[in-house]
Amino acid sequence: MSLKRRTGSILIMDINRHLQRKFLIVVDGTPESHAALRFAARRAHGTGGKVALLLVIEPETHDHWLGVSSLMKEEAEIEAEKILTESAALVEMLGGEKPKTHIRHGALAEEIARLIDEDRAISTLVLAAAVGHGGPGPLVSAIGAGKSAVHIPVTIVPGDLSDDEIDALT
């Protein structure tokens, strides 16, 4: 479906496009990612949108310990599946449909940009600022400084908002 179409010399916006919006949330099991997840799930539910969850496993540098590296990768996959299952259950509990989940291996910012390029329905990236770590976190800082290839709107949720505060905002 096209976002815009031309009728004669008038450009018409497809007013139903917003109903197809998909919120992408990077989850990692932290309280901050819970805040972003809850915010996005509530916004998606309130606007008829959908949710996609991404968990990125960044590469370990234990190449000289191949057996240890394989075990660590397997454990990371199991933990990722657990986090995504719990996150998806929360999205459904908040009134949404089952979200699409993605596990990627690589650099976080690169994998986010790659998924956004692959899934053109993703219209908003929702992140939460880290709490008590001396700054908003490396991903939020990189995006805020324009050092990422993300080309969609980004919503940054304060990571220390309570569920009640998030619900009041959405």
Side-chain angles (χ1 to χ4, degrees):
M1 179 183 292
S2 171
L3 177 61
K4 300 176 185 177
R5 68 178 191 272
R6 205 170 276 286
T7 305
S9 63
I10 300 173
L11 187 64
I12 300 173
M13 297 297 289
D14 183 348
I15 60 172
N16 293 319
R17 175 77 173 153
H18 77 281
L19 296 177
Q20 300 169 359
R21 83 173 38 137
K22 188 183 289 184
F23 296 88
L24 175 62
I25 304 93
V26 178
V27 294
D28 60 10
T30 62
E32 294 89 14
S33 81
H34 171 82
L37 177 65
R38 186 173 190 94
F39 180 87
R42 300 271 303 163
R43 288 285 300 143
H45 177 69
T47 62
K50 297 182 182 209
V51 172
L53 305 176
L54 172 64
L55 192 144
V56 177
I57 300 171
E58 297 196 74
E60 296 289 333
T61 56
H62 299 288
D63 292 335
H64 60 284
W65 296 68
L66 195 52
V68 172
S69 180
S70 295
L71 182 59
M72 289 175 69
K73 190 174 184 178
E74 184 178 318
E75 289 174 355
E77 288 275 347
I78 291 168
E79 183 65 16
E81 288 288 345
K82 178 182 170 214
I83 291 169
L84 286 173
T85 298
E86 291 170 358
S87 298
L90 179 59
V91 171
E92 289 182 86
M93 183 196 78
L94 292 171
E97 62 184 60
K98 184 174 181 153
K100 177 76 173 153
T101 60
H102 306 271
I103 295 177
R104 299 285 178 103
H105 294 267
L108 182 58
E110 291 173 15
E111 293 304 323
I112 292 168
R114 188 172 290 125
L115 180 57
I116 291 168
D117 286 340
E118 291 170 8
D119 186 346
R120 304 305 291 177
I122 296 172
S123 61
T124 306
L125 172 62
V126 180
L127 302 172
V131 179
H133 299 298
L139 182 59
V140 171
S141 295
I143 289 173
K147 296 178 182 176
S148 82
V150 173
H151 55 274
I152 60 173
V154 178
T155 300
I156 300 174
V157 178
D160 58 353
L161 290 179
S162 70
D163 287 352
D164 289 339
E165 290 170 320
I166 293 169
D167 293 347
L169 290 171
T170 56

